Amino acid sequence: MKIGELSAATGVSVRSLRYYEDQKLLTSIRLDNGYREYSPLAIEQVQTIQLYLTLGLSTEQISSFLHCVLKNKEAFCAEVLPIYERKLKEIDDRIVELTQLRTNLIDRIRSIRDEQS
Amino acid sequence: MKIGELSAATGVSVRSLRYYEDQKLLTSIRLDNGYREYSPLAIEQVQTIQLYLTLGLSTEQISSFLHCVLKNKEAFCAEVLPIYERKLKEIDDRIVELTQLRTNLIDRIRSIRDEQS
DNA sequence: ATAAACCCTGACATCAATGTCAGGGTCAAG
DNA sequence: CTTGACCCTGACATTGATGTCAGGGTTTAT
């Protein structure tokens, strides 16, 4: 499968597929003409990468456990849990931050409205 | 007041003060030697800028109403409210997004823990 | 054989406030 | 007069996945 086909099959841009390879998330062999050739398994692999990206993980984090997850169930990859937990803490912290901002903004909006009425 | 003094008085770096001027948030006059000279009012002005930055507004947004806010109370500046409301919506959207991500992560963490026990 | 559709690499742009460095002028105290 | 502490401008770096373009080779269908 050539890169354009993999892109069509996954909805991921050609640019991104090359980037994933750069980041060691995806491998391909090269044909004599220099074109990348992908195994059919690459489709599932790309979908897995996308899944982790939408979870907010970085390519670096993904690369640290992807080799394992592609062979086993997540639960058997010891690297996954700590990364999930770190990410969860990041998200919780960020939600707290945004919530405080939100409260502050709402107060200020109310003040303006009150002064105008 | 020279830029270093303003920086000391506000806790804002010299680099940032120059940037604010670039972005039309702050003005200064120039002495014969090319140095910036600030009025004592600049201290309060910088603190006001900082306040809006911590609310998550961009320098561009701030510059759109700062001239008004420095002269009047916020409530009399018609430009402020719509910007606050837009920002509030952004924050709410982001909180929803993060909350979904959070739920997803928690589910995955639980699955892993369940499978291991 | 030619054109369209693919593929390749390398590089710059995005967002935005701030850090940092280089190269150079100014001022104040000893 | 020298040294250290300021000040100036201009420019590159940061973050990170992706878009986009240039310049050039390959393949495929007509």
Side-chain angles (χ1 to χ4, degrees), chain B residues 83-100:
Chain B
I83 290 181
Y84 276 176
E85 283 167 340
R86 199 170 319 137
K87 190 71 202 174
L88 181 58
K89 179 167 185 327
E90 268 178 47
I91 290 175
D92 282 344
D93 289 350
R94 185 68 181 140
I95 289 177
V96 166
E97 207 178 309
L98 287 176
T99 302
Q100 288 168 351

Side-chain angles (χ1 to χ4, degrees), chain A residues 16-56:
Chain A
S16 293
L17 293 176
R18 295 203 187 104
Y19 178 67
Y20 297 162
E21 186 166 325
D22 228 51
Q23 303 298 303
K24 320 283 185 201
L25 299 181
L26 193 56
T27 55
S28 63
I29 60 171
R30 294 303 180 112
L31 301 179
D32 288 346
N33 57 18
Y35 287 14
R36 289 173 180 80
E37 176 69 22
Y38 295 95
S39 122
L41 288 175
I43 294 176
E44 193 188 349
Q45 222 164 316
V46 170
Q47 286 165 347
T48 303
I49 294 168
Q50 285 293 104
L51 166 70
Y52 290 121
L53 283 175
T54 64
L55 278 177

